[in-house]
Amino acid sequence: APATPGRYHVVATSVADPTKRAEATAEVFPVEALAPRFAYSTNSASGDVSIFSVNPENGALAQIGSIPAGRDPYPIGVDPTGRFVYAGNFSSNDISIYAIDPATGNLTARGSAPTGAGIYSINFDPSGRFAYSANENAADDVWIYRIDPESGVLTVLGTADAGISSV
């Protein structure tokens, strides 16, 4: 594959049968375009989410803002599409939902979704269609959500038995 960023037209011809071929157009992006530009962390004591810019040269973080969350935010995650942030609120038993401004990294609150007692982790399937939360104080379940691709809002689909204190 080419190392220089740009748009390429690729033609593949079968060695076994040179009359068979496939064509495609491929876009090659510079590595810098794929690196995260922003980072987020929860602050349990102050009940908010910190927003950071990421220095692409050395990875250093510079805080550029914060936004309120629920009570005792603990786990945090960015969905695989890089468009939404989710902060699990341990004491209010919900997940704060935020949309990411791709130009600034700032967050816009999009509401919340319920979860079990004492949320401890948030994870996503690679497609970005589903989210999962495990709860420290729940006896045996992981909550399953559908992610709305436009708003990032979570819809509870159900729970799955995962063993005692499934974190």
Side-chain angles (χ1 to χ4, degrees):
T4 305
R7 183 178 295 263
Y8 295 88
H9 185 77
V10 180
V11 178
T13 305
S14 169
V15 174
D17 183 355
T19 64
K20 293 185 180 180
R21 60 187 240 168
E23 297 185 39
T25 300
E27 186 89 24
V28 176
F29 295 96
V31 172
E32 298 81 27
L34 304 175
R37 296 177 40 219
F38 307 105
Y40 306 92
S41 70
T42 54
N43 306 299
S44 188
S46 57
D48 60 8
V49 173
S50 291
I51 305 165
F52 300 91
S53 63
V54 179
N55 181 316
E57 298 299 318
N58 61 20
L61 301 177
Q63 187 169 356
I64 57 176
S66 65
I67 189 168
R71 289 191 354 245
D72 298 320
Y74 184 69
I76 192 163
V78 177
D79 80 305
T81 69
R83 296 178 55 215
F84 307 107
V85 170
Y86 300 89
N89 302 302
F90 190 88
S91 295
S92 53
N93 301 322
D94 60 4
I95 300 170
S96 296
I97 303 165
Y98 307 95
I100 300 172
D101 180 318
T104 66
N106 286 321
L107 301 177
T108 301
R110 292 286 175 95
S112 64
T115 190
I119 183 169
Y120 206 76
S121 68
I122 299 172
N123 288 289
F124 307 92
D125 85 302
S127 75
R129 294 176 49 214
F130 303 101
Y132 308 93
S133 70
N135 309 292
E136 181 180 56
N137 297 329
D140 62 0
D141 64 355
V142 170
W143 287 48
I144 306 163
Y145 305 87
R146 178 179 23 257
I147 301 173
D148 181 282
E150 297 304 314
S151 68
V153 169
L154 299 177
T155 300
V156 177
L157 297 177
T159 61
D161 184 14
I164 297 173
S165 194
S166 56
V167 294

